[in-house]
Amino acid sequence: MSSRKVTMYTIAAETGLSIAAVSRAFDPHSRLKPEKRQLILDTAKRLGYVQNKMASRLSGDAMKIGVLIYGTLEVYYREYVAGIRDAHAEFVDYKVDCDLRLLDRSRDALEAAYAVLDEFIAAGVDGVVINGLSSSEHTEPLRRLADAGIPFILLDSDVPDSLRSGVSMNDTATAGRMAAQLLSCGMAVCGASTKKTAVFPADAGNLSQVSLTDSFRAGAAEYGLEVVRICDTENRTDLAEELLEGLLADHPDLGGIYISSANSMPICHRLRARGLAGKLAVVTSDVFDELNGCIMDGTVFATIYQDPFMQARAAFEALYRAAAEGTPIPERILARPQAVLRSNLELYTKRH
Amino acid sequence: MSSRKVTMYTIAAETGLSIAAVSRAFDPHSRLKPEKRQLILDTAKRLGYVQNKMASRLSGDAMKIGVLIYGTLEVYYREYVAGIRDAHAEFVDYKVDCDLRLLDRSRDALEAAYAVLDEFIAAGVDGVVINGLSSSEHTEPLRRLADAGIPFILLDSDVPDSLRSGVSMNDTATAGRMAAQLLSCGMAVCGASTKKTAVFPADAGNLSQVSLTDSFRAGAAEYGLEVVRICDTENRTDLAEELLEGLLADHPDLGGIYISSANSMPICHRLRARGLAGKLAVVTSDVFDELNGCIMDGTVFATIYQDPFMQARAAFEALYRAAAEGTPIPERILARPQAVLRSNLELYTKRH
DNA sequence: TTGTAGGCGTTATCAT
DNA sequence: ATGATAACGCCTACAA
């Protein structure tokens, strides 16, 4: 079939120039007489030459990407870890190392997390992925990375003034609207008597949560729902229950609830205890073992999967390409939120 | 920072053996004194050695994967092409070539498609992806590939007795159940007066369509729907319309329709013309430009995206890994069907 | 500015 | 059975 694979040598032979000249022609930083460069680039195009990044990385220096996950619960950050490992596996042959640090808020102090960032700086990593430092109080330590010239991507939620290179997160603008439409469906199925709904965000200090609440509001208007209350749970289990009780007392005819955080279990339990499971439509976020039963028995009508696996995977990949190929880091990498109902839950409970 | 990266040379130095011996130790086909091999494998594990497939492919022979798409409409196979190109791009550095042949049923004869397969055999490709030859009448030409010892994966639908290595398709068992649940939601939202539904499969000779119909039936039972008719459209536009008229004549109180093929436009047009748009719940398959308007205006309540991009991508990847790394080809590669409603349609109408 | 030569990690071809 | 050694495709000092 046709001729041999066209390499730099093919071009060198064609043009009568040296292999080094050909190599330099493709490196903008390298100096080469413009006419020679042009000749090389032209014949390269004519011959259909494609650079083999494999070979080029082979002789290049190894690089390292640091990952800091400062998580809350293992079930939540497990997918992040899986996504990072997957991306690393894809690029490991290109001589990328991955320094993955897993800290748990319940055991490890915030200082430990900051210390990891400093270690990354000291080690001279080529990029960093960070999850769990998503509020403006962490701006200063994050900026130290930026000051050191190390690009970093925040995972899950943004801190715009941290000078991060980008964010990899769920498409919250769409997810909230999906939640509204699904909730309206669930309410129709439940036979809710009103269009009254309420939202339970995790924490008003988290920009993703704010965006979800906002886009849910927009979706509610579009699908004819009324939003009677926003119940900020401050990430506390007890507060979530308390707020639910107050909500139901004030609105006994409530038709639906959207829980934008992963703090849905206490609410589901209260609803069951009060015999309201299935009488009220509930839309939640994320997929995790504890929630599955609620979806199967109808306590929860639908949940929105935020694809943390892809979020993490894409963040790592962007940093690798930036370091290895000079590709600019996109400011926003958005994962596609997916509707999970009883009929397709099974596809989200097992490994990829 | 530990020591340097551990390579085969590290192991050779550690064990005092030659680099060649180390290389052989990892190749089962290569002969080497068992004790030496064991020593090498042990120290490799101890040192945390990981093989660099990049370097190994560098010195290895180039390979080629053939792709035959015998499609119906550009909008349908465009995603297949994109998925193939994406996979090829990921592995191009590993010296894989991709011979992509695009035929169109409306222009190219079946013989042309068969001829492509023979060309692949003659060229000695290392694997083939095939779409559009998904009925048992094509068994014989497909077997010629198998006889030549060339592994191949069918895309979209299976022909079990073709001796294919595997199939890459949508998870039809789940998709049908999703369709049923979504249809029941849509019917609740529409305020349908009955639970009567009907299915419009493409073609009873296509196993994927059969599976979708079956799983829809199962889902219908689960969600309390009645299936009053299966309308086999035989892939014909005119027949679809005709069957719809007959269906509505017999069941004027029909509540919902599930169209498992991509032949949904004629039905949508008829429904609109009869003023039934939005009065009846409709669940369709796939995402393509023409359908978007129907989703936005409520003629179609939901559609099920079958992720042809991933189907193609995964097929190519499986063949590459089989040829390059000896990984066994999974018999079934299943893409995750996704629910697309008005609120998230936008995420499916633009490029990845 | 340009060319030569060595190295990156592995496999394959020769000898031995 | 085993060990040198030459590719593989590219980059980069180093030299000219």
Side-chain angles (χ1 to χ4, degrees), chain B residues 65-69 84 98-102 116 120 127-129 316:
Chain B
I65 289 181
V67 178
L68 166 62
I69 294 182
I84 293 292
C98 175
D99 190 354
L100 174 59
R101 309 294 186 93
L102 222 51
V116 168
F120 284 162
V128 179
V129 179
F316 190 99

Side-chain angles (χ1 to χ4, degrees), chain A residues 169-178 211-212 215-216 218 332, chain B residues 343:
Chain A
M169 54 186 283
N170 184 34
D171 183 341
T172 51
T174 302
R177 298 207 313 128
M178 286 174 71
S211 170
L212 286 169
S215 58
F216 178 79
R332 301 169 67 78
Chain B
S343 54

